[in-house]
Amino acid sequence: MISRLEDFSNSVLGADDPLAVWNIATSFFESFGFIGSMYGIRHLQTTPNEKNIRFSNALSDWKTSYMAHKDYERDPLFIYAPQLPSVFFTGVNFLEDHPYLREEDVAVIRRAESFNLTSGIALKMAGGEDGVVRGWNLIGDLSRQEIMSLNDAHGGVLHVCAALADQKISQTVTRPDAYLTNREKECLILLANGQRTAQIANKLNIQSVTVDLHMRNAREKLGARTREQALAVAIVSNLLPL
């Protein structure tokens, strides 16, 4: 994981503008077998705006339909994101996991299905805490089992790289006084290497609860919702060289 993350990080950090970051990110996601990517920002207290949603080129046909039907006004991805985890599955193959969806919500998903877009992994970057929902939807035609297996194998690197790209695209910056302890840095570096909490604890010879504490402190210092986002912010802010 670390070499792939390092390559992606170097490319994104070296990009001159958000469009360059977008092209790097979408190509990277497609290399995992996704057809395309969708990135959106929605302000919860204002009327949804189609200009705040971006599609990769491979999704141009669906984008035309999405805009024509004004699906951005009813897209479940944004409406229910504040109540959902940082990572969740989307698409018709996962309808049974979201029984709360209304008829008009399902219609948006069914229209995507008509373009053979049946599954996706949503990566939430902001969940409405500040009145903004922001995140990625990596979309494809994989079966339910295939995309769950893909997430098991690569979900960590996908989330971290999505967070890195989000930091650059949205121009999010960390607080100038942010400071990470050596232990917090060690935990984040091991996270970048694909290690889970128990593995990090074993490597550092500390308790799992202590790892969780270091991760929580890092998130709070960096203004991140998840440990993956904390890792991304630390990299973008040059607080954590890989």
Side-chain angles (χ1 to χ4, degrees):
M1 176 177 172
I2 191 67
S3 61
R4 202 163 189 179
L5 174 58
E6 184 175 8
D7 290 343
F8 182 86
S9 175
N10 289 336
S11 296
V12 166
L13 295 180
D16 295 329
D17 57 73
L19 180 59
V21 174
W22 170 258
N23 290 331
I24 293 167
T26 54
S27 295
F28 179 78
F29 296 141
E30 288 169 15
S31 73
F32 286 86
F34 296 102
I35 292 176
S37 310
M38 174 186 181
Y39 175 82
I41 301 173
R42 180 166 181 175
H43 299 272
L44 299 180
Q45 302 304 318
T46 62
T47 302
N49 190 329
E50 70 275 14
K51 293 181 181 179
N52 289 331
I53 298 178
R54 181 180 295 180
F55 298 80
S56 59
N57 291 335
L59 301 177
S60 58
D61 290 342
W62 177 47
K63 175 184 176 180
T64 299
S65 170
Y66 186 95
M67 295 302 180
H69 288 93
K70 295 187 177 181
D71 284 341
Y72 48 85
E73 295 183 354
R74 195 60 247 172
D75 194 331
L77 180 66
F78 298 105
I79 292 173
Y80 301 104
Q83 291 78 46
L84 293 172
S86 296
V87 180
F88 57 94
F89 297 109
T90 64
V92 68
N93 288 345
F94 293 91
L95 276 179
E96 65 186 69
D97 296 350
H98 307 288
Y100 51 83
L101 294 177
R102 295 185 286 185
E103 183 178 346
E104 57 266 36
D105 304 329
V106 174
V108 175
I109 298 171
R110 290 293 184 188
R111 277 192 284 274
E113 181 188 18
S114 69
F115 293 91
N116 204 33
L117 304 173
T118 57
S119 59
I121 300 176
L123 304 168
K124 189 168 63 174
M125 303 291 109
E129 296 86 349
D130 298 321
V132 176
V133 175
R134 190 174 74 247
W136 294 85
N137 193 10
L138 313 183
I139 306 170
D141 59 357
L142 299 176
S143 69
R144 180 184 176 94
Q145 186 56 52
E146 286 173 331
I147 205 160
M148 291 178 72
S149 296
L150 189 155
N151 184 63
D152 287 341
H154 303 293
V157 70
L158 288 171
H159 197 172
V160 172
C161 290
L164 274 169
D166 172 70
Q167 290 294 311
K168 292 286 285 186
I169 291 173
S170 65
Q171 296 299 301
T172 304
V173 295
T174 187
R175 292 188 292 271
D177 61 342
Y179 170 80
L180 297 177
T181 67
N182 288 335
R183 199 56 118 186
E184 289 161 0
K185 291 179 181 179
E186 289 175 332
C187 289
L188 289 174
I189 289 171
L190 290 171
L191 173 67
N193 202 27
Q195 303 293 298
R196 299 184 183 276
T197 297
Q199 295 169 311
I200 295 173
N202 183 62
K203 182 76 173 180
L204 299 179
N205 195 29
I206 58 179
Q207 298 294 317
S208 292
V209 67
T210 306
V211 174
D212 290 334
L213 177 62
H214 289 314
M215 291 294 193
R216 185 184 69 189
N217 289 339
R219 292 200 312 271
E220 291 177 352
K221 290 178 179 179
L222 299 172
R225 295 185 60 259
T226 68
R227 56 184 59 187
E228 290 83 7
Q229 290 169 0
L231 174 58
V233 174
I235 293 171
V236 170
S237 303
N238 293 317
L239 297 175
L240 189 73
L242 294 180

